[in-house]
Amino acid sequence: MNNTIKLSLLSVALLSQLHAQNAYTLETVNVTASQGSTLKKKDVTDDVTIITQEEIKESRVSTLNEALKQLGNLSMTQNGGVGTSASFYIRGMSSKRILLLVDGVRYNDPTAIGAAAEFSQIMLDDVKRIEIIKGAQSGVWGSDASGGVINIITAGARKGLHFSTNTEYGAYNTAKATVHASYANEKLDINANSLLYTTDGFSAVEPSKGSADYGKRYDELGLEKDPYINRSTMLKVGYNFTQNDRLQASVNIIKSTIHYDASAYDAATGTYVPTDSPIPQTTTFNRFYNVTYNHKDKLNDIKVAYNLSLFNRDIVGTYGKYNYNGNVNEVKAEDKIAYIQNSFIRFGASYQKFEQKDITPNTTKSYSATSAFLTNYNKLNLLTDKNTIITESLRYDNYNNFDNSFTGKIGLKQFLKNDFYISLNAGTGYNTPTLGQLYGAFGANPNLKPEKSLTTDITLGNDTVWITGFYNEIKDLIEYDYPAGYVQTSGKSKFKGIELGYEDYFGDSLGVKALYTYLRTEDAQGKTLARRPINQLNTSATYYISDDFNVGANVEFIGTRYDKADNQGAQTGQYTIAGIVANVKASKNVTFYSKIDNITDKYYQTVDGYATAGRSLYVGLVAKY
């Protein structure tokens, strides 16, 4: 299999030389999260993966999990079906070290394990693009961004009055319905959408790999289903007082109920074993608010923003009921000044407060940070007419509970011939321990201190084909170790590897994309970290039969991956899954589609003892006015 991958990627590289100049390019796609300012992708030094609105629509992915795994080449593990807990990895660095933003608002939950964002609760409705910025971004965004940033940009209102609906039905009695409405004129724009997603699902647990029943699905074993329901609503309103002054406000509400299966401690093995149970369920009620004032003139681009993220989780478990309430308050002011052609300086300050209420009975804990940040951006012609892009970012965070931190990043991108370039990036990261890790009811350790990290990468290529080498390290890694609880390992954990990418368009009829990652990890004791695959390959192709009909296919290969550290536990990799999708435009305003996920009905698990979906058929209808 490894030889096949190498030969395929070599073929891709050779083909790309015949199509170095092509119409299928991301040159015109914007990136916002890289420097905290909107730039063209070709003008960004960071290694960025963009999932476009067109990719989301044509692939018919419904959840953020699907998009990141299938279209973004991110490794994912999940404890069951849709809605259950999932972990993502950017170059081996886990969800705890990835900042998730939606229109600039933080979605990382301070009450969750490691303050990770609840990726599984985010449905994709009316999304313009998803940006995956790799490497430490603490120099721009602060804590929680030591491994990278995932930034979701939602669509804005178009001029006039518009309506659209999307209904879908399929496997496991899954139903989705969305309604979207927007209105815009020169002064006012309003964008609103609402989504309902329900599924009967399947049992979150299945027999683990060592069991005699491994390979049998829930219906063969008589296990109960674990259903899921999600209600999401978003409203964005903007008003242009003048051509230079704009006020925008947004609210996003996510309410979901997740049924899942518990685990029981097995004294004989010293591990937790997944068990089928009708009791555990979690109800989440998360709300995200933003108000931003923006003033632009010939010299300044000033933004003043207030963001509020509210999190509530009610858990009914096998051992009792638990409630988690937390919030993140953020006030930020910044200015961007262009001082010579194609160069700017962005600077500002922010105040952030992270709070978890009733962390233990009648106790509320919090910490805050006052920050100052600065970014300099230059696009020059140092080699005759070839562009040279240089960026530097620096951030100072003054914490009331932790040591203060200086973090930064630097990037260089040099175009060598046409769109062929070499880029280098280095950044430092800083991740504070969460309130739950410090003071919570389970495994708390008040002696934890922040993690520090360093990430570097070098890329050679163009918009069609590229190769990246990366090296990351985390000092004083925080992990959960039963029965000790949260522990901090002195020393450096290391992550290194290679990424290859290919994206092209042939003859106005065929679009092809392939993303490959080779990863090696080890903790401070030299042990391989758990649940990170050594090899991952994601490929997709869309064939446009006509303007009204296209078909697509996607394939994912996961290489060797072990469920526990030091290559121990079950081997949960070495599988390939594939899916197909078809879109038929019946009229100007009506589109029908169908898709089949896991078309070969492959049996696999990403976490030992937890189930994944079998062959799944879905059909849908999109109508717009």
Side-chain angles (χ1 to χ4, degrees), residues 138-142 331-334 346-352 369-375 393-399 405-408:
S138 294
V140 177
W141 299 102
V331 181
K332 181 164 63 173
E334 63 180 70
R346 170 184 172 264
F347 59 94
S350 69
Y351 172 78
Q352 299 169 328
T370 303
S371 310
F373 49 86
L374 174 71
T375 292
S393 295
L394 183 66
R395 184 182 179 103
Y396 174 72
D397 290 281
N398 186 313
Y399 291 93
S405 73
F406 273 107
T407 52

Side-chain angles (χ1 to χ4, degrees), residues 301-431:
D301 185 352
I302 300 172
K303 293 180 182 179
V304 180
Y306 172 67
N307 300 321
L308 174 63
S309 305
L310 300 174
F311 303 90
N312 177 269
R313 287 183 296 140
D314 288 312
I315 299 176
V316 179
T318 51
Y319 303 108
K321 298 181 180 180
Y322 307 92
N323 177 260
Y324 295 86
N325 284 284
N327 60 75
V328 180
N329 278 269
E330 181 179 37
V331 181
K332 181 164 63 173
E334 63 180 70
D335 193 7
K336 173 184 170 185
I337 299 176
Y339 57 92
I340 58 174
Q341 186 177 8
N342 296 322
S343 296
F344 66 82
I345 185 170
R346 170 184 172 264
F347 59 94
S350 69
Y351 172 78
Q352 299 169 328
K353 183 177 181 180
F354 303 82
E355 184 176 58
Q356 184 169 344
K357 299 179 179 179
D358 297 323
I359 197 162
T360 53
N362 302 313
T363 302
T364 295
K365 294 290 186 178
S366 67
Y367 70 89
S368 61
T370 303
S371 310
F373 49 86
L374 174 71
T375 292
N376 181 65
Y377 178 92
N378 300 106
K379 183 178 178 182
L380 309 168
N381 296 120
L382 298 181
L383 299 179
T384 62
D385 61 340
K386 304 299 185 293
N387 286 330
T388 302
I389 299 169
I390 305 171
T391 65
E392 310 96 6
S393 295
L394 183 66
R395 184 182 179 103
Y396 174 72
D397 290 281
N398 186 313
Y399 291 93
N400 68 331
N401 281 21
F402 310 107
D403 290 339
N404 301 331
S405 73
F406 273 107
T407 52
K409 68 173 188 173
I410 185 169
L412 171 67
K413 190 173 191 177
Q414 178 63 59
F415 285 87
L416 304 173
K417 184 178 181 181
N418 297 327
D419 65 342
F420 193 78
Y421 65 85
I422 183 171
S423 69
L424 303 96
N425 296 280
T428 56
Y430 191 81
N431 251 50

Side-chain angles (χ1 to χ4, degrees), residues 178-199:
T178 68
V179 179
H180 173 250
S182 69
Y183 170 78
N185 58 29
E186 296 297 327
K187 289 285 188 181
L188 177 68
D189 51 271
I190 304 173
N191 204 43
N193 54 75
S194 183
L195 173 145
L196 173 64
Y197 183 102
T198 66
T199 180

Side-chain angles (χ1 to χ4, degrees), residues 96-97 114 401-403 430-440 442-451 475-481 484-490:
K96 309 169 191 177
R97 301 162 185 97
N401 281 21
F402 310 107
D403 290 339
Y430 191 81
N431 251 50
T432 60
T434 71
L435 296 168
Q437 291 172 339
L438 291 167
Y439 312 112
F442 302 100
N445 181 355
N447 297 317
L448 296 173
K449 58 185 180 179
E451 298 176 343
K475 183 180 178 182
D476 301 329
L477 184 76
I478 299 173
E479 292 286 297
Y480 188 84
D481 181 27
Y486 290 101
V487 297
Q488 193 150 36
T489 304
S490 298

Side-chain angles (χ1 to χ4, degrees), residues 31 69 107 160 346 456 458 460 480:
V31 179
K69 182 172 73 79
Y107 273 51
R346 170 184 172 264
T456 59
I458 179 171
L460 186 66
Y480 188 84

